[in-house]
Amino acid sequence: MILRRLFIFALLPLALLAALYVGSERYFRAQEVARAEGRVSLYRSTVVDELDRFSYFTHVLARDPFVMAASMQGVAGTLDARLRDFAEQAKLDAIYLMGTDGTTIAASNAGTPASFVGQNYAFRPYFRQALAGGQGRFYGIGATTGLPGYFVADPVRDREGRIRGVIAIKLDLTRLEGAWRESGELVLLADAARVVLLSSQEAWRYRVLTPLSPEARREIEAARQFTGHALEPLDWQQNEPGRTIVAGEGMIHLVRGDLPHGWTLHYLGSETQIETRSWLVVVIGAVMLGLLLSGWQWRRNRMIGAALRRSEAEEAALREANRRLAVEIEERRTAQRRLQRTQGELERASRLAALGQLAASVTHELGQPISAMRNHLAAAEMSGASGATGASGLTARLSGLVERMEGITRQLKFFAAPTASEMGEVDLNAALAEALALVAPNLETAGIEVTRDLSAAAVLVRGNKLRLEQVLTNLLRNAADAMEESATRQLVLRTGVEEGMGWAEIADSGSGLGPGGLEALSEPFVTTRPSGQGMGLGLAISGGIVKEHEGRLAARDRPGGGTVFRMEIPLAEEM
């Protein structure tokens, strides 16, 4: 009987700790999967944007008079040089024109050792698709260069609508691999035949996720898609949904299949953090259980000691038990504080995962209109619209807007794994003027009076122009929002130099900072605006940008009502 009670007494805590580990592991796995879903959505949008970036380019080139003339005459003439200029400006690997028999007539790489001129590509699927009247797309290793690329082709028709040739471009997608590799995450892209096209692990490229069928292998060999590669199976096992064993290591596995051509994007995440956090919870539970057992034992000893006369030795033992209990209580408090910090980190990670999904959606929606605007601008230049002074100015302004929008989307694409910004000399006077031009319509609509008190000399600081303009734009918009309910709406802008720092001040006549001050407003997702009119990220992002520039962002209440925001950045000569 005694042995059975001891066995139950020892087994019950172990069962409780095992249940605690299982529950913690499921909870932390759900958190990691939620974060991974945000990451894979972002990677999926970058792949789609890269594939669609030049989808209109071959359609425009097919209607170029020089391309049409070369396809009908069968000779390149000056088309080689023209295609070379287009390829350099668009940053494409190659642009080339083929006749109806598949022989290359003109190419942007003509005259180089890897020239496409004279090569016949009638065996390629994209050529046959374009010759049939549609747009052809294909990914494979170049038959001439031996380098992989994504090919897009369109038919070239004469004035009667007859197909006289095929114009094609070759796009390098390996830049995606570089971005994946820099993020430190394991990502791969596979085609419909389950062949790995791109991977952050270079050794995985041109391996297959599942063995190829004889029919699929014959189609690949006929198109010479992966010449020189054996297409061997990858060493992994998928025993359950959402989890894969790679080289004996279990990993989170998410798949996105909503890609063109039946391609699939695979994201593999480590389970190390899940196991570490689960064991941490078990350790904390064991400490708490030990404290409970120690408390129970201490109480039992106290009851026995009250019934018996204690000797000096028993008194000493009781004092030692009290000391140990105090130490254990302190350990419990430390463990509780550590658990609270961990819970706070998980909550912030969930919010950032949701923000990553939002950034991926915005990037996807902005990417295609930007590409269409750039291609239409290219078409306008080729059709001769750039000859007129007014059209040239319009084209230049539109191009500048497209470059700015592309800069914003590039920051969104690499939201979760940012790279170092390009730094240089930035004039705070000019940056403030650019930011003011962006919010000028808002200021005019609100009837805000703007007063400039800028430094007579240029205030040159070291930083990233676009990032500093983003901070100033956020501060100007915050000032405009703060004056919505004010009877007097005045905005004062100042710049200057002080103690090795260039500074810019934006003063408004709004409602002031409020009881929380700048520290409260700089917290992510904290805003004083009504629900639905702001995310509370403007000052948090601005503060992060200024900190990256080794500067300071301060705010104070303005005498007579309002707020003064001050941004300080080290001067270029001081860095």
Side-chain angles (χ1 to χ4, degrees), residues 363-375:
T363 301
H364 175 65
E365 295 301 325
L366 285 180
Q368 295 188 18
I370 293 173
S371 299
M373 289 175 67
R374 182 171 291 281
N375 288 328

Side-chain angles (χ1 to χ4, degrees), residues 149-423:
Y150 183 67
F151 300 86
V152 182
D154 264 292
V156 180
R157 303 175 186 268
D158 58 18
R159 299 186 183 277
E160 288 73 27
R162 293 172 299 186
I163 297 177
R164 304 301 297 268
V166 173
I167 187 74
I169 63 173
K170 181 181 179 182
L171 177 65
D172 183 13
L173 295 184
T174 56
R175 289 173 294 185
L176 292 174
E177 286 185 322
W180 298 344
R181 197 174 296 114
E182 289 178 3
S183 70
E185 295 177 320
L186 191 53
V187 185
L188 61 90
L189 179 68
D191 64 6
R194 308 278 285 174
V195 178
V196 178
L197 304 179
L198 302 172
S199 174
S200 56
Q201 287 281 0
E202 188 174 354
W204 288 14
R205 195 191 303 162
Y206 310 131
R207 304 286 290 274
V208 293
L209 305 183
T210 56
L212 290 173
S213 66
E215 181 181 354
R217 188 174 290 274
R218 282 194 299 270
E219 290 179 0
I220 291 172
E221 291 175 355
R224 305 181 196 174
Q225 187 175 6
F226 304 108
T227 304
H229 294 277
L231 304 181
E232 297 177 351
L234 193 63
D235 180 19
W236 75 353
Q237 297 176 354
Q238 188 169 2
N239 298 328
E240 56 184 283
R243 189 172 186 270
T244 296
I245 299 177
V246 180
E249 179 183 356
M251 305 189 76
I252 296 173
H253 182 200
L254 297 183
V255 182
R256 289 296 297 269
D258 50 344
L259 290 168
H261 316 305
W263 292 1
T264 54
L265 184 69
H266 299 256
Y267 178 91
L268 300 173
S270 174
E271 295 182 337
T272 303
Q273 283 192 342
I274 298 175
E275 296 176 355
T276 301
R277 292 174 180 176
S278 300
W279 280 114
L280 177 61
V281 171
V282 170
V283 170
I284 294 173
V287 171
M288 295 177 66
L289 184 60
L291 290 176
L292 291 175
L293 292 176
S294 297
W296 175 79
Q297 183 65 33
W298 174 78
R299 183 179 180 183
R300 181 172 178 271
N301 291 339
R302 184 177 180 181
M303 291 174 64
I304 294 174
L308 301 174
R309 293 183 178 181
R310 300 181 181 92
S311 62
E312 292 183 359
E314 291 174 336
E315 290 286 346
L318 182 59
R319 286 194 297 269
E320 179 63 19
N322 289 337
R323 186 190 66 80
R324 289 198 304 268
L325 180 60
V327 172
E328 291 172 351
I329 290 175
E330 183 60 30
E331 291 176 352
R332 177 184 177 184
R333 291 174 179 171
T334 302
Q336 288 177 335
R337 289 193 293 268
R338 188 179 305 154
L339 180 59
Q340 290 174 352
R341 288 197 299 269
T342 303
Q343 291 173 341
E345 292 173 358
L346 290 174
E347 182 180 359
R348 289 191 291 274
S350 297
R351 289 189 175 186
L352 291 176
L355 188 57
Q357 292 175 334
L358 174 62
S361 176
V362 172
T363 301
H364 175 65
E365 295 301 325
L366 285 180
Q368 295 188 18
I370 293 173
S371 299
M373 289 175 67
R374 182 171 291 281
N375 288 328
H376 284 305
L377 287 174
E381 291 178 352
M382 289 188 290
S383 61
S386 61
T389 303
S392 175
L394 177 59
T395 301
R397 290 193 297 274
L398 288 177
S399 298
L401 289 175
V402 170
E403 291 293 337
R404 187 174 188 88
M405 291 171 71
E406 286 184 335
I408 295 172
T409 57
R410 281 195 297 270
Q411 293 185 35
L412 287 175
K413 287 179 182 178
F414 297 99
F415 171 80
T419 55
S421 301
E422 183 178 352
M423 307 291 278

Side-chain angles (χ1 to χ4, degrees), residues 421-426 459-464 468 497 499-502 545-552 568-575:
S421 301
E422 183 178 352
M423 307 291 278
E425 285 190 351
V426 179
V459 182
L460 298 178
V461 299
R462 180 171 176 81
N464 180 273
L468 292 180
V497 176
E499 297 180 357
M501 306 287 281
I545 294 173
V546 172
K547 187 175 181 180
E548 291 175 2
H549 285 71
E550 300 181 1
R552 296 186 293 270
E568 298 181 359
I569 305 295
L571 295 173
E573 60 186 12
E574 299 292 331
M575 298 298 291

